[in-house]
């Protein structure tokens, strides 16, 4: 992250090797199994505007790729499938805002609370609420709405600084 007084730029990315193991049942009678390998990668850039001490709007862009090998199911001949490989690259823009406040302790910075909301060019939405102690121990709740599916997560995190 490059932080300035007015603007900050955060860049991050990731890569994963995946092994898919699928067991599928059709009509409670036919059973099929398959395995496949794949890879995922992504790079995200976010530009933050420090509009106010506690209010930070942002715009971002993520490019990502997913590749999965083709597979043939084993099991019931009546419902077996032969599925081709999947290889797709996506570009997604986002816009959002982060609202935060620090309090407690002599410097009024011992604890922090933050709310973040964003929407992307796929009309997916994400909401994050977090509480931290000393910018080291975080409790975070996340709710996503993507393709009409709701996903909620809760996480505890420890941030190391070097």
């Amino acid at each position: 992250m490059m932080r300035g007084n007015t603007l900050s730029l955060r860049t991050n990315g990731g890569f994963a090797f995946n092994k898919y193991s699928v067991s599928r049942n059709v009509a409670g009678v036919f059973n099929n199994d398959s395995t496949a390998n794949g890879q995922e990668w992504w790079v995200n850039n976010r530009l933050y505007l420090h509009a106010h001490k506690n209010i930070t709007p942002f715009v971002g862009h993520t490019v990502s790729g997913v590749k999965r090998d083709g597979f043939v199911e084993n099991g019931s001949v009546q419902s077996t499938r032969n599925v081709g490989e999947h290889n797709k690259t996506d570009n997604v823009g986002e816009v959002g805002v982060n609202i935060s406040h620090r309090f407690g302790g002599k410097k009024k910075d011992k604890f922090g609370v933050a709310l973040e909301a964003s929407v992307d060019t796929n009309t997916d939405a994400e909401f994050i609420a977090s509480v931290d102690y000393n910018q080291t121990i975080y409790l975070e709740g996340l709710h996503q709405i993507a393709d009409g599916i709701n996903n909620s997560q809760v996480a505890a995190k420890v941030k190391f600084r070097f």
Side-chain angles (χ1 to χ4, degrees), residues 16-159:
F17 291 104
N18 301 318
K19 181 172 178 104
Y20 304 94
S21 180
V22 178
S23 188
R24 185 173 66 92
N25 182 284
V26 178
V29 178
F30 306 112
N31 295 303
N32 298 92
D33 297 310
S34 63
T35 59
N37 294 312
Q39 302 88 37
E40 294 179 58
W41 61 269
W42 54 268
V43 176
N44 171 264
N45 290 291
R46 265 192 187 174
L47 183 64
Y48 296 90
L49 171 64
H50 304 291
H52 180 273
K53 178 178 144 182
N54 300 338
I55 302 171
T56 310
F58 60 86
V59 295
H61 177 260
T62 301
V63 60
S64 62
V66 176
K67 181 179 180 182
R68 187 205 66 239
D69 296 338
F71 60 90
V72 177
E73 291 181 333
N74 297 310
S76 302
V77 175
Q78 299 86 344
S79 62
T80 192
R81 296 184 302 173
N82 184 351
V83 178
E85 78 172 23
H86 175 79
N87 191 358
K88 185 175 181 187
T89 302
D90 279 324
N91 285 280
V92 177
E94 66 176 329
V95 62
V97 65
N98 184 295
I99 301 170
S100 62
H101 181 69
R102 301 211 60 78
F103 61 94
K106 291 179 183 176
K107 295 182 182 179
K108 307 269 189 244
D109 67 349
K110 193 60 95 180
F111 299 95
V113 294
L115 297 172
E116 182 178 295
S118 64
V119 64
D120 67 26
T121 54
N122 292 333
T123 64
D124 298 337
E126 185 171 273
F127 308 93
I128 301 171
S130 65
V131 176
D132 76 78
Y133 172 73
N134 246 6
Q135 295 183 352
T136 303
I137 300 171
Y138 291 80
L139 293 175
E140 182 177 275
L142 168 106
H143 184 74
Q144 296 170 319
I145 303 168
D147 298 323
I149 298 171
N150 289 290
N151 179 35
S152 296
Q153 301 173 28
V154 176
K157 301 177 180 181
V158 177
K159 186 175 186 178

